[in-house]
Amino acid sequence: MKDNMTLKKCMIIYLRGKVRLFLLLCVFVLIFALVLFLYDVPPDAVAYASLLCAVIGAICLAFDFSGFYRHISALTRARADIATTLASLPPARGASDPAYEDLIKTLYTALSDMYMETTAARNYMQDYYAMWVHQIKVPISAMHMLLQDQSKSSPLNIQLFSIEQYVEMALSYVRLGSDHTDYVIREYRLDDMVKQAVRKYAPLFISKKLSLNIEDTDITVNTDEKWMCFVIEQILSNSLKYTKEGGITISYRRPATLVIRDSGIGIAPEDIPRITEKGFTGYNGRAGRKSTGIGLYLCSEILSRLHHTMKIESEVGVGTTVYIDMETRRTATE
């Protein structure tokens, strides 16, 4: 039932529902006329009686349709808040309406109970994982202290860095599913966000002996700094994970598109359409057993909420290029 229920459409629905009644009335009229004819009643009297019945029937029909139209209109208006309350549900009109009302109330009660149980379970899971993430940071900090005499590009520090990244990904996943958001949308310098992400992954560039080329990214974009840094870090993490030689180039394309290009193993053409699906790892991810199928999914979700877009182009054996368009649908500046 559409919200803009027109009078004409409502009348068509009403008449369709009264087809059997109209056929029954026509049968009664024929019987009435036949009986009067058999008793030699003058045709004028038969016509007058038929006209009188038709007028009375039309008046009754008009009153009945008026009530039907008001009932349909009330049902249409009730759609606005039927998900939260049944108070706007109009009272029963027909003989079978009370049964439908009971059915709706039963379904609504069951749905409300299910929603409350699901919400409680989701909140419990979010609280548990948030607590776990904060607790795991304590031993991570302790390991940092134990390894402070070693180079940041040492194997142990690299593995510890990977653990930190997985922990940060888990926390971001929990935050993304929360009902509350902490987005701060305003103008930020893209160059600052890129350099922040690059500094974080500097030990991996050193340990893998990969080159890094940052072209002029000194532009201003309208976004959220924390979440956009997370997206850039995830894309850099993927590039570093699947690039064994060569390097990574970071640049921008006017008006405000960040371009991250690597010389890695690339992505199979059939995997590209599904690469941002949750849990999808693709051929290369399954072959190397390095992919969780969460990183690009989180990037896609975050960019969607920030009203940005992401496009991925890749060629197996050549490399992958990621385009983050921050100009497609600009969000309001805080």
Side-chain angles (χ1 to χ4, degrees), residues 310-328:
M310 178 174 67
K311 184 176 72 170
I312 299 176
E313 295 178 352
S314 186
E315 185 177 347
V316 176
V318 177
T320 301
T321 304
V322 179
Y323 302 89
I324 302 175
D325 190 349
M326 290 173 257
E327 184 70 16
T328 305

Side-chain angles (χ1 to χ4, degrees), residues 22-220:
F22 291 152
L23 291 176
L24 185 62
L25 289 177
C26 290
V27 172
F28 288 161
V29 168
L30 290 176
I31 294 173
F32 175 74
L34 180 62
V35 170
L36 293 180
F37 176 76
L38 293 176
Y39 278 88
D40 295 328
V41 176
D44 293 342
V46 175
Y48 179 75
S50 300
L51 180 62
L52 186 62
C53 291
V55 171
I56 295 174
I59 294 173
C60 294
L61 196 64
F63 275 106
D64 187 61
F65 174 75
S66 176
F68 175 80
Y69 182 71
R70 288 195 301 270
H71 187 70
I72 292 295
S73 300
L75 287 173
T76 303
R77 290 191 300 269
R79 291 187 61 188
D81 56 356
I82 195 66
T84 56
T85 178
L86 294 178
S88 60
L89 196 66
R93 183 173 181 272
S96 61
D97 277 5
Y100 282 104
E101 279 190 359
D102 292 340
L103 179 61
I104 292 173
K105 290 177 180 178
T106 301
L107 292 174
Y108 179 81
T109 302
L111 181 62
S112 298
D113 294 341
M114 188 183 303
Y115 175 78
M116 292 178 64
E117 291 176 1
T118 303
T119 302
R122 184 184 63 182
N123 291 338
Y124 175 80
M125 183 195 69
Q126 290 176 348
D127 292 342
Y128 173 79
Y129 281 110
M131 179 185 67
W132 178 86
V133 168
H134 289 296
Q135 288 179 337
I136 203 67
K137 287 183 177 181
V138 176
I140 289 176
S141 299
M143 285 188 284
H144 272 299
M145 294 181 64
L146 294 172
L147 296 173
Q148 61 183 350
D149 294 334
Q150 297 192 24
S151 170
K152 289 187 177 180
S153 57
S154 66
L156 286 176
N157 271 315
I158 294 298
Q159 294 303 319
L160 184 57
F161 177 78
S162 298
I163 293 174
E164 284 185 293
Q165 294 310 109
Y166 285 126
V167 169
E168 185 64 30
M169 184 186 297
L171 183 59
S172 298
Y173 184 83
V174 172
R175 286 174 176 170
L176 197 64
S178 174
D179 294 331
H180 309 286
T181 59
D182 59 347
Y183 301 124
V184 180
I185 307 297
R186 64 182 186 214
E187 299 287 343
Y188 293 98
R189 291 183 67 244
L190 179 60
D191 192 56
D192 291 341
M193 292 186 287
V194 169
K195 289 180 179 179
Q196 180 179 333
V198 168
R199 281 195 298 269
K200 187 173 183 178
Y201 282 88
L204 288 180
F205 279 98
I206 296 173
S207 66
K208 300 191 73 171
K209 298 179 181 180
L210 296 175
S211 65
L212 173 64
N213 180 26
I214 303 179
E215 299 178 2
D216 184 18
T217 55
D218 191 15
I219 61 170
T220 301

Side-chain angles (χ1 to χ4, degrees), residues 247-317:
I248 297 173
T249 300
I250 303 176
S251 60
Y252 89 95
R253 189 172 63 184
R254 295 182 183 278
T257 300
L258 179 65
V259 182
I260 301 177
R261 180 179 292 107
D262 64 56
S263 57
I265 61 177
I267 305 171
E270 62 271 17
D271 289 342
I272 292 180
R274 299 185 57 195
I275 203 68
T276 57
E277 293 181 10
K278 181 167 63 174
F280 183 78
T281 57
Y283 175 78
N284 291 331
R286 291 190 298 271
R289 298 184 179 180
K290 297 179 180 180
S291 178
T292 61
I294 297 297
L296 287 179
Y297 162 75
L298 288 174
C299 291
S300 178
E301 286 294 312
I302 291 168
L303 291 174
S304 176
R305 298 186 187 198
L306 293 177
H307 302 288
H308 303 326
T309 59
M310 178 174 67
K311 184 176 72 170
I312 299 176
E313 295 178 352
S314 186
E315 185 177 347
V316 176

